C-alpha cells in the first residue's frame, strides 16, 4: 500500500547506502545490522546471493547481527568477501599513483592485497600496498614451486613403478614434468 511504500522510501533516504530498487523484505531483513554491514551486503555481495543469505533466517535475536550477516555472506559467496577495487580506492582515498599500482597487479595478487584490508590510516599507503603485493607474489610463487615439486615427485614415483619392487638406494630415473622426457643424470666421478 502507499503507506508502506512511503515508509520504505523515507527509510532508504535516511540510509544513503540503500539502493532505491531494493525490495522491502531485504530492507527489513537488514534493519538490525549496522551501516557498514548493510553497505557491504549491498555493494560487495552479488544480488543473486541475497536470497541465499536471507534463507538462513532473520538476524533479529542474534547476539551480533552484523557479524552474523558477514559470516552468512562469506558462506553464500563460498569465500571471504573482498572489497571491489573501485570501492577500495574510494574508501581509502587513494591517489593516482596507488590506483595505477593496484590496476597493474595480476588478479590473483590483487585479491591477496585487497583481502588484507584498508590502508587509509597508513602513513604511506603506496608502501603498504607494495609490501603486500611483494608478499602475495612470494606466497603465490612458493605455492607454484611446491606444486611443481609435488607434480615432479608423483611423476618420478609413477615412472618407477610406484616405488614397489624397486631396489633400495638404487638411482631412480627422473622425468621432466612438462614434456615427460627423462632428465639426464650426472655421472658419478
Amino acid at each position: 500500500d502507499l503507506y508502506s511504500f512511503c515508509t520504505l522510501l523515507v527509510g532508504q533516504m535516511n540510509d544513503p547506502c540503500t539502493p532505491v530498487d531494493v525490495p522491502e523484505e531485504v530492507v527489513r531483513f537488514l534493519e538490525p545490522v549496522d551501516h557498514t554491514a548493510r553497505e557491504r551486503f549491498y555493494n560487495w555481495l552479488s544480488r543473486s546471493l541475497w536470497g541465499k543469505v536471507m534463507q538462513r533466517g532473520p538476524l533479529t535475536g542474534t547476539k551480533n547481527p552484523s557479524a552474523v550477516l558477514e559470516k552468512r555472506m562469506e558462506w553464500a559467496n563460498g569465500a571471504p568477501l573482498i572489497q571491489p577495487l573501485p570501492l577500495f580506492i574510494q574508501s581509502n582515498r587513494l591517489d593516482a599513483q596507488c590506483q595505477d599500482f593496484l590496476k597493474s597487479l595480476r588478479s590473483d595478487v590483487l585479491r591477496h592485497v585487497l583481502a588484507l584490508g584498508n590502508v587509509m590510516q597508513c602513513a604511506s599507503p603506496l608502501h603498504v600496498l607494495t609490501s603486500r603485493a611483494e608478499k602475495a607474489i612470494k606466497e603465490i610463487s612458493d605455492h607454484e614451486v611446491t606444486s611443481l615439486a609435488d607434480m615432479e615427485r608423483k611423476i618420478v614415483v609413477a615412472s618407477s613403478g610406484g616405488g614397489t619392487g624397486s631396489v633400495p638406494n638404487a638411482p631412480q630415473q627422473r622425468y621432466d614434468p612438462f614434456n615427460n622426457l627423462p632428465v639426464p643424470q650426472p655421472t658419478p666421478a
Side-chain angles (χ1 to χ4, degrees), residues 157-173:
V157 169
S159 66
S160 66
T164 57
S166 59
V167 178
N169 300 325
Q172 299 290 325
Q173 178 65 51

Side-chain angles (χ1 to χ4, degrees), residues 54-106:
M54 293 172 61
Q55 286 175 348
R56 303 277 315 251
L59 297 169
T60 52
T62 60
K63 189 172 182 177
N64 185 344
S66 297
V68 171
L69 178 64
E70 290 282 338
K71 287 297 180 191
R72 287 184 186 180
M73 289 190 306
E74 288 181 3
W75 167 81
N77 194 45
L81 292 173
I82 298 173
Q83 187 174 17
L85 182 57
L87 283 175
F88 185 85
I89 289 171
Q90 180 185 4
S91 65
N92 286 281
R93 300 183 188 110
L94 297 179
D95 62 20
Q97 191 176 12
C98 289
Q99 291 178 36
D100 291 342
F101 174 73
L102 289 172
K103 290 175 184 175
S104 72
L105 296 175
R106 293 185 338 221

Side-chain angles (χ1 to χ4, degrees), residues 46-60:
S46 165
R47 281 185 179 236
S48 62
L49 297 176
W50 288 6
K52 193 173 181 181
V53 170
M54 293 172 61
Q55 286 175 348
R56 303 277 315 251
L59 297 169
T60 52

Side-chain angles (χ1 to χ4, degrees), residues 26-174:
V26 175
V27 174
R28 276 197 219 113
F29 175 77
L30 295 174
E31 282 177 353
V33 302
D34 62 30
H35 174 78
T36 304
R38 209 172 13 258
E39 183 179 3
R40 287 182 181 203
F41 182 85
Y42 291 135
N43 296 318
W44 295 18
L45 189 66
S46 165
R47 281 185 179 236
S48 62
L49 297 176
W50 288 6
K52 193 173 181 181
V53 170
M54 293 172 61
Q55 286 175 348
R56 303 277 315 251
L59 297 169
T60 52
T62 60
K63 189 172 182 177
N64 185 344
S66 297
V68 171
L69 178 64
E70 290 282 338
K71 287 297 180 191
R72 287 184 186 180
M73 289 190 306
E74 288 181 3
W75 167 81
N77 194 45
L81 292 173
I82 298 173
Q83 187 174 17
L85 182 57
L87 283 175
F88 185 85
I89 289 171
Q90 180 185 4
S91 65
N92 286 281
R93 300 183 188 110
L94 297 179
D95 62 20
Q97 191 176 12
C98 289
Q99 291 178 36
D100 291 342
F101 174 73
L102 289 172
K103 290 175 184 175
S104 72
L105 296 175
R106 293 185 338 221
S107 62
D108 54 345
V109 175
L110 181 62
R111 275 194 304 277
H112 277 75
V113 171
L114 297 182
L116 293 173
N118 291 328
V119 295
M120 187 169 46
Q121 303 298 324
C122 300
S124 176
L126 182 60
H127 178 75
V128 172
L129 294 171
T130 305
S131 175
R132 288 179 180 182
E134 288 170 356
K135 287 178 185 174
I137 290 168
K138 182 175 178 352
E139 284 179 27
I140 291 167
S141 65
D142 285 351
H143 176 73
E144 289 170 354
V145 168
T146 302
S147 297
L148 178 62
D150 287 344
M151 184 172 68
E152 183 179 87
R153 182 183 51 75
K154 288 175 186 172
I155 290 171
V156 169
V157 169
S159 66
S160 66
T164 57
S166 59
V167 178
N169 300 325
Q172 299 290 325
Q173 178 65 51
R174 295 177 52 91

